[in-house]
Amino acid sequence: MTNEVTTEILATHVLDLAKAGKRLDGRGLDELRPVRITPGYVTSADGSALVELGDTKVLCGVKLEPGTPFPDTPNAGVLTTNAEIVPLSSPEYEPGPPSIQSIELSRVVDRAIRAAEAIDLAKLCVTPGEKCWTCFVDLHVLDDSGNLTDAALLAAMSALKNAKLPGERFEIGPTVPLEVNHLPIETTFVRIGDALIVDPTCEEEDTCQGRLTIATDEAGNVVAMQKSMVGAFSPHDVIELVDRALVHGDRLRELINTTK
Amino acid sequence: MGSVGAKDVPELLDAHGKRIDGRGLHDLRPLKIEAGVLQRATGSAFVEWGENKVMAAVYGPREVHPRHMQQNTKAVVQCRYNMASFSVDERKRPGLDRRSQEISKVIGEALESVLFVEEFPKTSIGIYIEVLQANAGTRCAGLVAASVALADAGIPMSDLVPAVAVGKIAGKLALDLRKEEDNYGESDVPMALVPRSGRLVLLQMEGHMTRDELKTAMDMGVKGCEKIYEIQKAALRNRYSLGGNGGGEAQ
């Protein structure tokens, strides 16, 4: 958004709407945009999924390749998450080295997968200290219409759930489904004035006073959080948002589990 | 966290509920803050917190470089958190890795939340944090130092920003984790408080906590932050009182 006057007018409008409990796109303050998951979208990947969260589109491709364990974790496979906010996704992004937004995005998604222990890395070890599976979770943001984080983790978990460990291709054993033990879901909220709204669009992210992402697992634990952007939340706000995140998380877990 | 394949997990709590360094669950490590330690910077501060040593400098408000980052309605806050290669056990490759870039972003945003950036359009406020010696909690130490450095630079702000992490070790919540507790504990929640508003401007988490544990963790963190706030204020008072030599100290 380059035009400061339009931004200012829009910000005031978003704020006025929020005061009245309304939003630009007519949603309620605690209402997600429609979610559509297409598992197996890319057949050249070992696992993949396209997630559409309203107009936001994120594609995840999982690749599993033989590699070497890190010296400090000789008995574990390697998990790496990378997010690219490619220039086709928004007028805001330009070609060049990874932007700080894409670094934060991949780290916040990675943190949820890791903290929830979604993948048992010990099972990705082939020969301790010598050979293991490296699991690349690569996220491609195709259309940035806000709240990339939640869409990206949904895409990652859905892609991991349909991923196959390609043992035969690399002659390391049979090709078997990748085991996914836990299903973390991230729910992102922003503050607009005193209103705390879920699943923000770009316009809402541009005008917000703080963003909070909360990752929950199926047992009702909080496994990761990230407060981001300029702004603040009271501990009371945080607990209210955790309660809301748990409800959204359960619904989205159900959706991932039932989408074939 | 990161404990896959780890061999010797140390005992984080002894039979008497004491931690590795003898602290109780609600105790901070010794914290010393000194304001105005660098000659060339507009403002600066040095923090020694347990075995952490962190220096922060603030430059500005000054011209923005590169020019195209300039904003017509507010100052740009440029924050850089960097770890020295020798600050950790195994030499760290110099320069900003992805972790440092993420931390720079969240610290910059946390501090911008208390700065009156609209008072200084078309300028830059540079916040530079160098971690010289690290023993867990360096983002909080960096934020604590940077916040004192901003005040030392005379930049108008709504409050100082104390920060501390609360984690879970051996199933119990504990304030201000040291390295072993961070490496082998079950979760880590760094947070930064604006004491006057009671709101958090930095909040991250990794690990496992129930909703109620998180609530208690934030209560403990807020109490810890209030203690740190007093030490930050003392550091500034010492710096600007006649004959003061500039230091605030815990315990």
Side-chain angles (χ1 to χ4, degrees):
Chain A
M1 206 66 59
T2 43
N3 190 325
E4 283 152 16
V5 179
T6 349
T7 314
E8 190 63 41
I9 294 169
L10 188 62
T12 316
H13 184 48
V14 169
L15 190 62
D16 286 344
L17 282 174
K19 267 186 210 151
K22 290 180 190 162
R23 297 171 73 170
L24 271 182
D25 55 9
R27 272 186 291 159
L29 300 184
D30 198 41
E31 191 182 338
L32 301 178
R33 290 170 290 177
V35 186
R36 207 168 83 188
I37 303 173
T38 315
Y41 186 83
V42 175
T43 52
S44 48
D46 296 311
S48 67
L50 175 69
V51 164
E52 291 161 85
L53 179 56
D55 292 328
T56 291
K57 289 185 189 59
V58 179
L59 174 63
C60 177
V62 170
K63 280 281 198 184
L64 286 141
E65 288 177 1
T68 319
F70 287 122
D72 56 342
T73 53
N75 300 313
V78 175
L79 173 75
T80 55
T81 307
N82 188 53
E84 281 188 70
I85 307 181
V86 293
L88 73 75
S89 68
S90 149
E92 308 276 315
Y93 297 99
E94 282 161 22
S99 62
I100 181 65
Q101 284 79 9
S102 68
I103 292 171
E104 185 181 36
L105 174 62
S106 50
R107 288 183 58 84
V108 172
V109 170
D110 184 80
R111 197 172 300 157
I113 300 174
R114 223 173 271 279
E117 293 161 6
I119 306 290
D120 185 353
L121 292 179
K123 290 202 173 147
L124 294 183
C125 180
V126 181
T127 316
E130 283 175 25
K131 198 173 190 185
C132 71
W133 287 101
T134 300
C135 180
F136 295 95
V137 177
D138 291 320
L139 294 154
H140 239 61
V141 175
L142 302 180
D143 202 342
D144 176 7
S145 291
N147 194 11
L148 294 178
T149 317
D150 298 4
L153 182 62
L154 277 173
M157 290 317 301
S158 177
L160 286 167
K161 272 179 73 81
N162 67 55
K164 293 210 164 46
L165 208 54
E168 283 162 23
R169 194 187 332 146
F170 295 103
E171 297 173 349
I172 307 182
T175 296
V176 290
L178 178 70
E179 274 182 49
V180 175
N181 300 318
H182 298 283
L183 193 46
I185 295 286
E186 290 189 313
T187 311
T188 296
F189 303 87
V190 293
R191 166 189 301 287
I192 307 271
D194 289 326
L196 300 169
I197 66 176
V198 76
D199 182 26
T201 60
C202 289
E203 291 82 5
E204 290 166 337
E205 283 182 339
D206 284 346
T207 55
C208 78
Q209 298 93 48
R211 180 172 78 184
L212 183 67
T213 297
I214 299 167
T216 61
D217 69 5
E218 67 283 350
N221 292 305
V222 179
V223 293
M225 287 195 296
Q226 177 88 339
K227 186 257 150 185
S228 183
M229 310 184 77
V230 176
F233 296 91
S234 70
H236 183 267
D237 293 336
V238 176
I239 292 303
E240 181 198 319
L241 295 180
V242 165
D243 288 337
R244 286 164 62 180
L246 285 164
V247 175
H248 291 300
D250 283 345
R251 223 198 85 208
L252 292 170
R253 262 182 284 276
E254 167 87 26
L255 181 70
I256 285 199
N257 284 329
T258 53
T259 307
K260 291 284 176 268
Chain B
M1 286 167 297
S3 57
V4 182
K7 284 163 221 125
D8 308 312
V9 179
E11 203 168 43
L12 297 176
L13 279 180
D14 72 10
H16 309 286
K18 291 276 181 226
R19 295 156 72 174
I20 291 180
D21 50 13
R23 280 184 294 157
L25 294 167
H26 297 263
D27 296 338
L28 288 169
R29 289 174 287 182
L31 169 62
K32 218 168 106 183
I33 307 174
E34 198 176 335
V37 291
L38 300 173
Q39 277 308 311
R40 301 295 305 276
T42 320
S44 61
F46 181 58
V47 163
E48 269 190 84
W49 189 346
E51 282 144 76
N52 289 309
K53 288 190 170 72
V54 180
M55 188 89 82
V58 167
Y59 284 84
R62 62 178 178 181
E63 264 185 55
V64 187
H65 293 290
R67 212 37 176 290
H68 68 85
M69 290 190 62
Q70 180 174 298
Q71 296 207 15
N72 289 329
T73 54
K74 64 181 191 90
V76 190
V77 175
Q78 292 174 307
C79 179
R80 183 183 189 267
Y81 160 102
N82 184 46
M83 287 180 98
S85 60
F86 47 78
S87 64
V88 280
D89 286 344
E90 204 172 307
R91 181 177 183 269
K92 184 194 161 293
R93 220 162 63 92
L96 291 199
D97 56 11
R98 292 158 69 91
R99 171 182 172 275
S100 298
Q101 291 189 58
E102 185 204 337
I103 293 177
S104 302
K105 180 178 187 282
V106 292
I107 292 181
E109 288 167 342
L111 290 170
E112 190 178 331
S113 308
V114 295
L115 291 173
F116 297 104
V117 284
E118 61 285 356
E119 298 288 325
F120 305 99
K122 299 187 182 186
T123 67
S124 135
I125 297 172
I127 301 168
Y128 304 106
I129 297 165
E130 291 292 329
V131 177
L132 308 179
Q133 182 178 306
N135 186 300
T138 56
R139 77 192 66 190
C140 294
L143 225 163
V144 165
S147 145
V148 172
L150 280 164
D152 181 46
I155 295 178
M157 53 207 286
S158 59
D159 207 349
L160 288 164
V161 186
V164 72
V166 176
K168 199 158 90 176
I169 54 170
K172 293 238 161 57
L173 295 175
L175 185 69
D176 187 19
L177 301 187
R178 57 178 284 115
K179 191 170 68 184
E180 297 81 355
E181 298 171 333
D182 190 28
N183 290 352
Y184 301 105
E186 294 116 80
S187 50
D188 181 23
V189 189
M191 65 190 93
L193 178 75
V194 180
R196 287 185 188 199
S197 71
R199 282 181 173 177
L200 302 170
V201 284
L202 179 137
L203 180 64
Q204 295 179 294
M205 190 237 173
E206 181 169 10
H208 280 76
M209 270 193 196
T210 63
R211 167 201 190 276
D212 294 339
E213 281 171 336
L214 180 62
K215 193 164 187 251
T216 312
M218 286 190 291
D219 285 345
M220 285 172 73
V222 166
K223 288 204 181 82
C225 281
E226 281 160 1
K227 288 183 193 154
I228 295 161
Y229 187 47
E230 294 306 320
I231 302 168
Q232 287 176 305
K233 287 194 286 191
L236 287 164
R237 263 189 224 114
N238 283 348
R239 159 89 166 130
Y240 291 101
S241 67
L242 287 173
N245 60 354
E249 215 165 319
Q251 279 119 33

